[in-house]
Amino acid sequence: MNWREELFLKEKERFDKEKESGKHTIYHIMANIKDPALIEIDNMYVAADNLSIQNAKLHNRILLILPITAILISIFFFVYFELEIHSMIAICVIFLFALLIIEREANKLGCHRKYLEYRVLAETLRVQFFLSLSGTKADVLELLPWFTKQGIPWIGNIVKSLPLDDVKERKPITYYWIFDQKAYHEGALLKAEQSYKLQAIIKKGAVTITVIAFLLGLIFEIFMYFYSPNIDAHHIRLVLKATIGIASLSTLFIEGYFGKMSLYEKINEHKRMISLYSKIEREIAKKGETPEIIIELAREFLIENSAWYAYQSKNKPELVL
């Protein structure tokens, strides 16, 4: 047995074990399926889809917890250092170890990797489902990008285990694949753009506050130098330090959370997919659901899915300090 076969058996065993655990929301590729072979493909899709969603939620929670914990450590240390509340250093140490444990457990759970790999599996199964339902004589494994074949080789073996040659049911797929997925990307695009705008607002606000705080600090120090008024300068400087610190912490949150969401790449991906579905929709309106058009859609879909996997792979949870 070579390393690829060992990897497949290991991943297949993990997949079979995880798909049986817990109750999840079921999203079918298509309702009212009668063909047993298509039902089997759909059941595999449902399992992969649920596991991807489950791990994505856990991954996003970890992405949120890591920068928030790092921000709390910075705040407690500021209180310890500036206000000389010495007990705060103990809280800093506790939160620091909590941060290390969270990162270690996140890597051990592998939720980020599972989220991505199960999503690629689910989308590969979606493509195979529609290729089979349309009667197109094409195997999704022949259309998979080399990046996916090499990066996640066990997915191909999962697809090979399905009864693809036994599919007898035939239906038009324009509504169930093109219209449905185009609507999904249009909705997802709006959400990604809203998050991107929020990120931009927070970033712009942080920069503006920082610049204003530094200018006020400069004006204050010039005033103190020339006039030496009898005022409590320590508290004024403390407020300025806290203001600049809060602004800096907000940028830490942006990089630690929003930065890991790859919003700019997501927006471009959704726009490309909407454009792709619109193009295929126009071609089908002219020529019908020809095998050439269906294969073109399948190939481009899988390429986009591979690109999604590539840029999302950079967003592994990391220690933020």
Side-chain angles (χ1 to χ4, degrees):
M1 182 181 296
N2 60 36
W3 70 270
R4 288 183 177 275
E5 291 172 336
E6 290 178 358
L7 176 63
F8 166 65
L9 291 175
K10 180 181 177 182
E11 296 295 339
K12 182 68 166 59
E13 182 180 347
R14 187 196 75 194
F15 179 51
D16 291 337
K17 182 179 179 181
E18 291 184 351
K19 73 181 182 180
E20 299 300 329
S21 62
K23 295 181 179 179
H24 313 295
T25 305
I26 296 176
Y27 299 102
H28 291 285
I29 298 175
M30 199 177 96
N32 301 318
I33 308 166
K34 302 275 193 318
D35 192 294
L38 287 176
I39 290 173
E40 189 166 342
I41 297 173
D42 182 65
N43 287 338
M44 192 73 79
Y45 165 85
V46 168
D49 182 60
N50 276 318
L51 287 171
S52 178
I53 292 171
Q54 175 185 330
N55 282 284
K57 288 179 178 177
L58 180 56
H59 169 65
N60 288 334
R61 283 198 293 267
I62 291 170
L63 287 185
L64 189 60
I65 289 170
L66 286 175
I68 288 176
T69 305
I71 287 170
L72 289 174
I73 291 172
S74 299
I75 291 172
F76 290 140
F77 185 79
F78 178 83
V79 173
Y80 157 74
F81 186 77
E82 295 293 341
L83 302 183
E84 297 187 357
I85 301 178
H86 301 147
S87 59
M88 283 295 173
I89 192 64
I91 298 176
C92 287
V93 172
I94 292 170
F95 272 78
L96 179 60
F97 276 103
L99 193 63
L100 294 170
I101 291 169
I102 291 168
E103 187 198 30
R104 186 191 67 184
E105 291 302 310
N107 291 328
K108 189 183 295 184
L109 289 170
C111 54
H112 177 243
R113 178 178 61 85
K114 292 177 184 178
Y115 152 50
L116 300 184
E117 292 187 1
Y118 285 139
R119 177 48 51 199
V120 174
L121 173 60
E123 299 308 324
T124 303
L125 291 167
R126 187 201 300 276
V127 173
Q128 183 59 68
F129 180 95
F130 285 119
L131 285 173
S132 299
L133 182 63
S134 67
T136 304
K137 300 299 181 182
D139 189 332
V140 71
L141 298 181
E142 298 172 358
L143 303 176
L144 273 180
W146 186 248
F147 180 87
T148 305
K149 288 180 181 178
Q150 289 297 300
I152 325 172
W154 63 273
I155 285 179
N157 290 305
I158 293 282
V159 177
K160 285 178 184 177
S161 68
L162 295 169
L164 304 180
D165 296 332
D166 298 336
V167 177
K168 301 294 187 291
E169 188 174 349
R170 297 286 181 265
K171 280 186 180 179
I173 64 168
T174 301
Y175 177 82
Y176 298 102
W177 188 2
I178 297 169
F179 292 172
D180 180 71
Q181 284 296 293
K182 183 180 176 184
Y184 161 76
H185 283 285
E186 287 171 341
L189 175 61
L190 290 176
K191 291 180 180 177
E193 286 178 333
Q194 288 171 356
S195 297
Y196 192 69
K197 286 178 183 177
L198 178 60
Q199 176 185 355
I201 289 170
I202 295 173
K203 187 174 183 179
K204 186 176 181 181
V207 171
T208 302
I209 291 171
T210 302
V211 170
I212 291 172
F214 272 108
L215 288 175
L216 289 175
L218 177 62
I219 293 168
F220 173 74
E221 294 302 337
I222 292 172
F223 177 77
M224 289 296 294
Y225 178 79
F226 285 105
Y227 297 100
S228 301
N230 187 20
I231 59 174
D232 189 353
H234 172 73
H235 285 90
I236 295 174
R237 291 188 179 107
L238 188 63
V239 170
L240 288 171
K241 288 179 185 177
T243 303
I244 294 169
I246 291 170
S248 299
L249 291 176
S250 66
T251 60
L252 178 68
F253 178 76
I254 290 172
E255 291 303 316
Y257 181 64
F258 284 109
K260 291 290 185 179
M261 295 175 71
S262 296
L263 293 172
Y264 183 75
E265 288 86 354
K266 276 185 180 179
I267 289 170
N268 287 332
E269 177 212 347
H270 292 313
K271 287 180 178 178
R272 287 196 304 270
M273 291 306 295
I274 292 168
S275 178
L276 172 63
Y277 285 120
S278 297
K279 173 181 178 292
I280 296 297
E281 188 181 338
R282 290 192 299 270
E283 289 183 4
I284 289 176
K286 292 178 182 177
K287 304 175 184 178
E289 290 185 7
T290 66
E292 292 78 16
I293 292 175
I294 300 301
I295 290 172
E296 179 189 359
L297 173 58
R299 182 180 289 109
E300 295 300 330
F301 182 98
L302 292 169
I303 289 172
E304 285 294 334
N305 194 227
S306 178
W308 173 86
Y309 176 82
Y311 76 71
Q312 286 287 352
S313 296
K314 301 181 296 183
N315 296 330
K316 183 180 176 181
E318 293 175 330
L319 198 63
V320 180
L321 283 174

